[in-house]
Amino acid sequence: MSAMIDTPADAPARSNEIVTLQAHILQQQTRYPEASGQFSWILSALAISAKMIASHVRRARLDDVLGTVGNQNVQGEQQQKLDVIANDILLRTLGGREGVAIVASEENEEPVILRADDAAERKYCVLFDPLDGSSNLDVCGSVGTIFSILRKDRRSPQPQSSLLQPGAEQVAAGYVLYGSSTVFVLTIGLGVDMFVLDPAYGAFMRVAQGVRIPKSNKCYSVNEGNRLSFPEGYQKYLSWAQERGYSSRYAGAMVADVHRILLQGGVFMYPPTRKAPKGKLRLMYEANPMAMIVEQAGGKALSAPGERILEVRPTDIHQRVPVIIGSSEEVEHVAAHL
Ligand code: P6P
């Protein structure tokens, strides 16, 4: 009988190890002997949701679930059929997890109180954008799911206000990119780990631990169609970057744009515009989770010069915030012009 390999949870992954997301979640749980397993159960609900949503996304045109449902969501945006499908999947998988007290979604005006009792295991709130960039679906572009996990604030008078915590309070954050492959990127505050779905086995396989964002890269990501309505500082930055031969990449889906920057470096921006004076991106379930991921990978995430996104004190679950996120040096180049 060969000796059991007693690998400590924080040991660097050996290149020949096969570690699924599920195994990784359980491995991380061993760091916390007192853990009840509720948190792990929530992460596994997000993992199965990602697989189910990926399946629907890959079959969208075949199953004729492209296009809009004909009404607008709370954001005033046309709701895509797959927005509703993805939202429903997440509500139903998380609904089955004892540890989830409240969920909040971009697609729901009000948070959904899953368990109002104050039992000890009702520890967590999960916020998500079920299908970010869904307008890309009709043209087979990249889309994503973004999620954020907070501890329920038991002192808050209303369950809803339990959600209104700064991003620095997140206990976990991550995203799923439905691109040329399906990538699950996760942080629980101990660095950033990356997994790719192997459709042959239906499992997310760990491909990288401790992902670090490059300190710089001459690439920016912004919708330049709005350039003339950006505050002057952003316009000055764009001229500065173009004079220095920066390239521009923009997918129209935050998950795709930030993922590129996480791996290759650069800076993503959604500045204030005339149409969106506070920027377009939502603080609680887009900016905060992406900011936690990028900061955990050694990057920066600002809503204004010197203001970390993770320190913005929320007043509404759907509030918007300007976003400057990416390589530390590139974020500073933008901030220096504002
Ligand atoms: P625009 C998608 O609708 C989204 O919320 C983000 O994923 C993306 O970065 C942004 O809006 C794109 O907005 O105005 O450039 O189309």
Side-chain angles (χ1 to χ4, degrees), residues 26-273:
L26 294 175
Q27 221 175 40
Q28 298 303 314
Q29 184 181 321
T30 62
R31 292 168 179 255
Y32 308 96
E34 75 289 354
S36 64
Q38 298 292 348
F39 182 68
S40 297
W41 263 117
I42 292 169
L43 293 179
S44 70
L46 293 166
I48 183 64
S49 299
K51 293 181 204 173
M52 294 169 74
I53 295 169
S55 170
H56 284 282
V57 164
R58 308 281 174 216
R59 293 191 52 82
R61 191 165 288 281
L62 295 169
D63 295 346
D64 189 27
V65 288
L66 289 174
T68 62
V69 289
N71 60 10
Q72 290 192 340
N73 62 12
V74 63
Q75 318 293 338
E77 293 165 349
Q78 280 301 318
Q79 212 169 25
Q80 305 288 327
K81 290 174 188 168
L82 264 177
D83 282 326
V84 176
I85 292 169
N87 196 49
D88 185 52
I89 287 170
L90 281 157
L91 290 174
R92 289 165 59 199
T93 52
L94 291 166
R97 298 302 199 255
E98 288 297 307
V100 182
I102 306 171
V103 294
S105 165
E106 182 197 45
E107 299 301 326
N108 296 74
E109 182 148 10
E110 295 299 329
V112 178
I113 314 298
L114 292 176
R115 293 173 182 84
D117 66 287
D118 218 13
E121 62 268 32
R122 312 282 183 254
K123 290 181 193 164
Y124 300 104
C125 307
V126 184
L127 304 94
F128 51 81
D129 179 357
L131 208 58
D132 173 66
S134 52
S135 53
N136 278 350
L137 282 166
D138 293 0
V139 294
C140 204
S142 293
V143 292
T145 296
I146 312 174
F147 60 87
S148 167
I149 305 179
L150 291 165
R151 275 196 190 78
K152 179 182 172 185
D153 178 356
R154 295 184 183 285
R155 296 159 303 174
S156 64
Q158 293 298 325
Q160 284 80 334
S161 56
S162 181
L163 294 163
L164 297 181
Q165 303 175 42
E169 298 299 318
Q170 293 173 107
V171 291
Y175 60 81
V176 187
L177 173 59
Y178 311 102
S180 53
S181 59
T182 302
V183 183
F184 194 107
V185 174
L186 171 68
T187 182
I188 60 172
L190 302 169
V192 177
D193 301 313
M194 187 160 68
F195 307 81
V196 174
L197 181 63
D198 186 329
Y201 310 125
F204 278 104
M205 313 305 281
R206 190 169 70 192
V207 295
Q209 278 186 290
V211 176
R212 302 298 290 170
I213 188 170
K215 284 190 178 310
S216 66
N217 182 30
K218 286 187 170 183
C219 181
Y220 63 78
S221 182
V222 68
N223 183 341
E224 294 201 59
N226 299 325
R227 175 171 180 157
L228 296 180
S229 84
F230 290 162
E232 189 185 359
Y234 287 95
Q235 299 190 38
K236 283 182 180 170
Y237 164 77
L238 290 173
S239 301
W240 174 90
Q242 286 159 9
E243 284 158 9
R244 284 159 182 77
Y246 274 56
S247 63
S248 171
R249 294 283 184 278
Y250 193 69
M254 185 186 195
V255 172
D257 286 318
V258 174
H259 186 67
R260 179 195 327 103
I261 286 166
L262 178 69
L263 300 187
Q264 298 179 345
V267 60
F268 170 86
M269 296 166 274
Y270 206 104
T273 65

